[in-house]
Amino acid sequence: MCYLFIIQNRGIIKKGSVYTFLYKQVRIFVAMKTETTQLHKTNGMKDGLSPIENAVLNDYKYGFVTDIESDSAPKGLSEDIVRFISAKKNEPEWMLEWRLKAYRHWLKMEEPQWANIKYPAIDYQDIIYYSAPKQKINPESLDQIDPELRRTFEKLGISLDEQKRLTGVAVDAVVDSVSIGTSFKKQLSELGIIFCSMSEAIQEHPELIKKHLSSVVPITDNYFAALNAAVFSDGSFCYIPRGVRCPMELSTYFRINAENTGQFERTLIVAEEGSYVSYLEGCTAPMRDENQLHAAVVELIAFDNAEIKYSTVQNWYPGDKQGNGGIYNFVTKRGICQGINSKISWTQVETGSAITWKYPSVILKGDNSIGEFYSVAVTNNHQQADTGTKMQHIGKNTKSRIVSKGISAGVSNNSYRGLVHVNKKAVNARNFSQCDSLLLGDKCGAHTFPYIEVRNNTAVVEHEATTSKIGEDQIFYCNQRGIDTETAVALIVNGFAKEVMNQLPMEFAVEAQKLLAISLEGSVG
Amino acid sequence: MLTIKNLQAGIEGKRILNGINLDIKAGEVHAIMGPNGSGKSTLASVLAGRQDYEVTGGSVEFLGKDLLELSPEERACEGLFLAFQYPVEIPGLSTTNFIKTAVNEIRKYHGEKPLDAVGFLRLMKEKMALMNIDQSLLSRPLNEGFSGGEKKRNEIFQMAMLQPRLAILDETDSGLDIDAIRIVANGVNKIHSKENAVLVVTHYQRLLDYIVPDFVHVLYNGRIVKSGTKELALELEEKGYDFIKNEIDVTEQVG
């Protein structure tokens, strides 16, 4: 009958100390904040920059704009715009009502201010809420897609053809809000799997959408979720029928394209009894001067004995070195382990965006269900990230595991914020959390805000946290073996993030490593 | 191979090396001994290019190149290897992966193609047998949780893999028991050939029982004050550093 709560700082520099708490109370509420900022150490360098900083201060490699004509709504948000979007997408009446309800609720809400991020007020009337690439006909195959667009994907090294041929990944590409190509659909449909754009699902599978949409993230859930519900442009829908194991990794590539366009995707994945699916979401965006708002919603539902694995690699434009531009990324991701023995696993590699506000969560409702959260978050230059997870233990014998690796460089701030909540009825709940921070340079910050609420005295909750810094001595050691500083930083960071990277499906692991390298060349190896 | 002329260097404005002269030829083993604070480790660090140290005078030529003009990684690629007194830990990075990166970066520097997985494995197997090192050590994260002896053996294994022209062993014996010293020394002796040279930096004579030097130099107050053969090391062991100190201090006073 005890709770174990450990905050530990180990690593190259030993900052802070080891705390071990043994609690007998029935409820624990802890908010820990660790801030570490390193003192500057000058080594008689001419330009005053350490090799790490030099390696880190690099340009965003994925900045380019695809020249495609857009069919856009006027700026601003009103009931008319919501109607415009709904009409544009030829939606049924119930969908419009759903959107309007969300919009009316949103009007009454206030933007959340509690996150450890700072940004100028967003003018919601200065955003274009709908933009679709103009295409004459709906493409039936990848060959029909606008060649300019395909070149964009190729620059990113994710040619649809290549992915289709080599990896067997079904790709549903969302460029500026509208699905432009879907592959492997036939193969999947033979198994009864539905994998299509959200717009298509609303038309083709209204019963499923009515039943599940907003069942995990209600339209009133939070400010950004309500906004998303009102104006979401597209997204992916995935339905795995009973007993089916999805034979391939499902993948979607989101991309923000037209200037001043908020991108509001909505993704819904339903895994029926005994089914399994692994879903990959990858994101990159072209370079922009103006901040772009992104507020996505992802909902996952796992029934009895079902498993959903959701992996994200996010590399949106983080802004320039002075902190101008970049994507504002306010995302609500939540899954529910509805059935017994079900499992939901979130893995994320977050390297982009000027601001990241994101807490992929799991509601552990079914007995024996398992929730996992593996995260690597990189911030560089002026980037800010406040990210983490929520694990809500409701069913008996539920387990959750949190592994968060934060990497800060430049003058960025990286915060882990997590809640482990154990309900009164959640007998024998188990949680293990590990939050590690790595600092590059001396002007960045790493923060940890773990909240633990335990209302059942059979629960065991563990928390470990460490903060370390890439040392000049580590770099020198690598240099002395013939490895240049940039490669050394990449090696060290990939080592640090390994536990999370190992969770990624093969197809993503390579790209994610490249991303870390680019972000750490341009942020962290 | 290595010619050091009147090398002066310091850290944070404090001068430590006051004019070192040393000449090392291929095939030779040199030992640098000296009391604490005499500048032994500074010399090793300056040669490897650690940036905390500032060179204020003199020159170092290595295989016909101006060593001081090269970055630390270029020096490594040119064939200079430093076995660290305190090898650093890199959590999560497997030792094998680290060595593979190093081997291929050096190959790239020389315009050679990187070794593929098979080629690298073959090389590693060969050196593992030579060094009598266990696979399990190499799959672990670099130096993380390694014992003192394991860290030093790992240094020598890396030396075997990278095949340097000049290996500098910085107090490799510190913190090792006699068995570990023997293992490490055997490793060094197996790698040593007519083509390469070894510079052993040590405080105690005992390592030199196993790595037998051709020349022994005594460093004191940032200068080489006495050079000789291996017998000099024995004499130092017997009489302690004080006899050198006294000798020098007296000379300086007279001078």
Side-chain angles (χ1 to χ4, degrees), chain A residues 41 43 45 51 472-474 476-485 487 491-492 495-496 498, chain B residues 49-51 72-73 76 80-82 84 88-89 91-92 98 101-102 105-106 143 155 158 162:
Chain A
K41 187 181 164 198
N43 294 325
M45 276 166 294
E472 299 287 344
D473 55 345
Q474 285 176 312
F476 179 67
Y477 189 81
C478 295
N479 288 161
Q480 213 301 306
R481 299 299 185 252
I483 300 166
D484 64 38
T485 300
T487 311
L491 282 177
I492 294 166
F496 173 76
K498 196 180 178 186
Chain B
R50 197 187 274 272
Q51 60 172 0
E73 58 268 29
L80 187 141
F81 182 92
L82 174 65
F84 284 68
V88 303
E89 300 181 4
F98 173 73
T101 307
E105 287 289 313
I106 292 174
N143 290 323
E155 292 293 290
Q158 289 178 40
L162 300 179

Side-chain angles (χ1 to χ4, degrees), chain A residues 148-449:
Chain A
E148 189 63 30
L149 209 58
R150 308 241 343 239
R151 268 196 290 277
T152 306
F153 279 105
E154 272 155 34
K155 276 187 222 169
L156 292 167
I158 50 135
S159 135
L160 293 177
D161 284 346
E162 203 61 12
Q163 290 206 13
K164 192 175 170 185
R165 196 169 55 81
L166 292 174
T167 61
V169 173
V171 175
D172 178 50
V174 179
V175 168
D176 270 24
S177 326
V178 169
S179 286
I180 53 150
T182 306
S183 53
F184 284 100
K185 219 167 172 176
K186 229 178 151 186
Q187 214 179 319
L188 293 173
S189 68
E190 278 162 17
L191 289 163
I193 294 170
I194 301 166
F195 179 42
C196 62
S197 71
M198 190 56 93
S199 330
E200 198 182 329
I202 291 165
Q203 306 293 340
E204 309 287 328
H205 311 283
E207 292 317 308
L208 285 173
I209 297 298
K210 273 188 198 167
K211 187 176 171 191
H212 297 296
L213 192 68
S214 72
S215 69
V216 189
V217 179
I219 53 175
T220 55
D221 189 79
N222 69 68
Y223 189 79
F224 297 107
L227 178 65
N228 173 285
V231 301
F232 83 87
S233 34
D234 213 331
S236 295
F237 173 64
C238 174
Y239 177 83
I240 315 292
R242 198 171 165 166
V244 170
R245 199 180 160 85
C246 185
M248 60 185 85
E249 311 275 355
L250 297 181
S251 166
T252 302
Y253 229 93
F254 291 108
R255 189 171 172 75
I256 300 177
N257 211 321
E259 215 157 339
N260 291 328
T261 307
Q263 175 112 352
F264 303 92
E265 303 93 358
R266 183 119 201 157
T267 296
L268 173 63
I269 299 175
V270 181
E272 290 284 6
E273 223 179 295
S275 67
Y276 166 85
V277 64
S278 171
Y279 188 90
L280 317 181
E281 175 201 42
C283 319
T284 59
M287 189 175 271
R288 289 291 171 198
D289 287 325
E290 283 175 63
N291 293 311
Q292 293 180 300
L293 178 65
H294 180 90
V297 171
V298 176
E299 297 175 278
L300 312 181
I301 305 165
F303 290 98
D304 288 359
N305 303 305
E307 181 178 347
I308 302 174
K309 193 172 158 60
Y310 193 102
S311 312
T312 307
V313 171
Q314 187 264 115
N315 182 33
W316 283 326
Y317 178 50
D320 66 16
K321 284 171 202 168
Q322 282 72 44
N324 302 314
I327 306 292
Y328 288 3
N329 191 20
F330 296 94
V331 184
T332 306
K333 288 184 167 176
R334 193 177 302 154
I336 182 164
C337 286
Q338 183 72 42
I340 55 161
N341 305 323
S342 55
K343 180 175 174 184
I344 288 177
S345 181
W346 297 100
T347 304
Q348 59 174 27
V349 176
E350 303 277 324
T351 65
S353 297
I355 288 173
T356 301
W357 179 97
K358 182 180 172 185
Y359 316 90
S361 309
V362 184
I363 300 167
L364 297 152
K365 193 175 168 195
D367 291 349
N368 313 320
S369 60
I370 298 171
E372 291 176 338
F373 174 73
Y374 295 94
S375 168
V376 174
V378 177
T379 53
N380 192 15
N381 297 319
H382 289 265
Q383 278 178 282
Q384 305 174 68
D386 192 303
T387 184
T389 184
K390 269 197 277 185
M391 292 291 174
Q392 306 267 13
H393 292 258
I394 298 169
K396 291 174 191 137
N397 307 315
T398 47
K399 281 185 197 150
S400 63
R401 181 178 172 83
I402 299 168
V403 178
S404 164
K405 304 273 182 177
I407 299 154
S408 331
V411 290
S412 68
N413 270 304
N414 202 326
S415 304
Y416 167 81
R417 185 184 302 277
L419 168 67
V420 177
H421 178 91
V422 179
N423 195 287
K424 251 188 261 178
K425 290 174 188 164
V427 181
N428 290 327
R430 296 290 302 266
N431 161 266
F432 174 75
S433 305
Q434 186 185 333
C435 303
D436 297 332
S437 304
L438 185 68
L439 300 166
L440 286 84
D442 49 22
K443 297 175 195 80
C444 51
H447 317 266
T448 312
F449 307 95

Side-chain angles (χ1 to χ4, degrees), chain B residues 199-245:
Chain B
L199 179 61
V200 185
V201 174
T202 183
H203 188 73
Y204 298 107
Q205 190 272 337
R206 58 177 183 179
L207 179 64
L208 305 180
D209 285 344
Y210 303 98
I211 303 174
V212 181
D214 301 304
F215 301 98
V216 174
H217 311 278
V218 182
L219 197 61
Y220 179 59
N221 280 343
R223 266 184 302 169
I224 290 175
V225 293
K226 206 173 172 98
S227 294
T229 55
K230 63 180 181 199
E231 282 72 26
L232 179 58
L234 294 169
E235 192 183 351
L236 280 173
E237 182 77 358
E238 192 187 321
K239 297 183 181 170
Y241 285 110
D242 283 345
F243 103 93
I244 296 274
K245 286 182 191 172

